Amino acid sequence: MRNHCLALTGAAVMAAGLFGSAHVHAQAQGDGPRAYQMLPEGVHALSVYGIFQDGNETIDPATIIEGSDISIDIGIVQYVHPISVRGQASGLFVALPFGQVDGSLTARPPFNGISGDASGVGDVVLGAVIGLKGSPSLSLQDYAKFKPGFSIGALTKLTLPTGSYTQDKALNLGANRWNLQLGAPMGWVIGESYLDPKLTSFELLPSVTFYGDNDEPFRANTTSQEPIFRLEGHITRNLNKAVWISADALVSNGGETETDGVDNNNRQYSLKLGATLSVAVAKTASLKFSYGETVDSNKTNSSDGKMFRVVGTLLF
C-alpha cells in the first residue's frame, strides 16, 4: 500500500503543480506553469528556488530603474500546507528569500550613477489559494481516476517588510513596504486524468498587486506606487511520464510611482516570454528549469533583462 501511494504521489509531482508559488522576484517572470494545479489531499510540498537575473529590475519586481545593470542571485525556501475549503483542494504557503543583489545604477536622480550591493534575507511572503471550481479535494486513489477540465481559484499573497533594508543603500534585499497580490488562477486541463502521460493544460492568471508606502526610501522621505496589473499565461504539455514542457508569457501594466508627492511619470509596461522544462527525478521529487526575457525592452519604463530559474520540489 505504501509503495502504491508513493507511485501515485510520484505521478502527481509530474502532473500537477503546488498550490502556491514563490512570489519574491520570481514574480518578475511570473509564478510559473502548473503552479496552481491541484494535488491529492494530504500531500505537502517543500520547494527550493534558485533565481538568477540580470537587467534593470531590483529585487522588488515592481521597481524598474531605466539604464541600470542589476544582477540578482537569490534562493527561496517555500512550504505549502494543503487544506480543503468546501470540498475544494486549497493550500496555505510561506516563502523566505535570501541571497544577494548588486549593480550599477543609472545617472537619473536620485541614483546619480552610483553602484550598490546587498546581501542577506528578503521579505517573508504569506499566501493562500482557495479552489473555487473544478478542483475537488481527492484522496490519492481518487486523484488517479479524476478526469480534469476547467478550474478556477482565488489567490492571495501578502509580502511583509521583514527583509534586510538600509535607507542609505540604493539596493536592498528587503523593500521596506508591504504588498498584497490578489489573483484568479484558472486553467483548462486536457487528459484522461492528472496522470495522463499526454496531459496538456492552458493556464491564465490575472492579478493585481497593491503596494504600501516606503517611508524610508533612498535619498527621499517617502515613495508610493500605484497598483500593477499582470496577466500570466502558459501552455504546457507532457512529453512522457517523467518530462513536461511549457511556453510562458507575462504582461505587466501600471505601477506609476511618486517620490515625496511628485509624480515620476514612469507607468510600466512589459511583455516577457519564456519556456520551462520539468523533469521528475524521483517518485516524489522534481526539478523545473525556466528561462525568460523581456521582448519589448525598447519601450519607456519597460523591464529589460533575462532570468533563469531552477526549482526543486519534494512532495511528502
Side-chain angles (χ1 to χ4, degrees), residues 36-53:
Y36 299 106
Q37 286 185 17
M38 62 184 288
L39 286 175
E41 63 184 16
V43 174
H44 302 244
L46 180 66
S47 295
V48 178
Y49 290 67
I51 300 172
F52 312 94
Q53 179 163 316

Side-chain angles (χ1 to χ4, degrees), residues 24-110:
V24 183
H25 216 279
Q27 195 183 59
Q29 203 59 45
D31 285 349
R34 300 196 182 181
Y36 299 106
Q37 286 185 17
M38 62 184 288
L39 286 175
E41 63 184 16
V43 174
H44 302 244
L46 180 66
S47 295
V48 178
Y49 290 67
I51 300 172
F52 312 94
Q53 179 163 316
D54 292 297
N56 63 358
E57 291 182 84
T58 68
I59 193 73
D60 177 358
T63 303
I64 292 174
I65 304 176
E66 286 191 89
S68 300
D69 183 11
I70 301 171
S71 177
I72 297 168
D73 301 300
I74 63 171
I76 302 171
V77 178
Q78 177 184 268
Y79 167 69
V80 181
H81 181 78
I83 60 173
S84 178
V85 178
R86 295 186 176 181
Q88 296 289 308
S90 305
L92 305 174
F93 58 93
V94 58
L96 177 66
F98 57 91
Q100 64 180 19
V101 55
D102 62 81
S104 300
L105 308 184
T106 178
R108 176 179 175 179

Side-chain angles (χ1 to χ4, degrees), residues 209-211 224-228 254-258 267:
T209 304
F210 302 92
Y211 300 92
S224 60
Q225 187 165 23
E226 294 296 313
I228 292 183
E256 190 169 14
T257 65
E258 287 187 0
R267 184 179 181 89

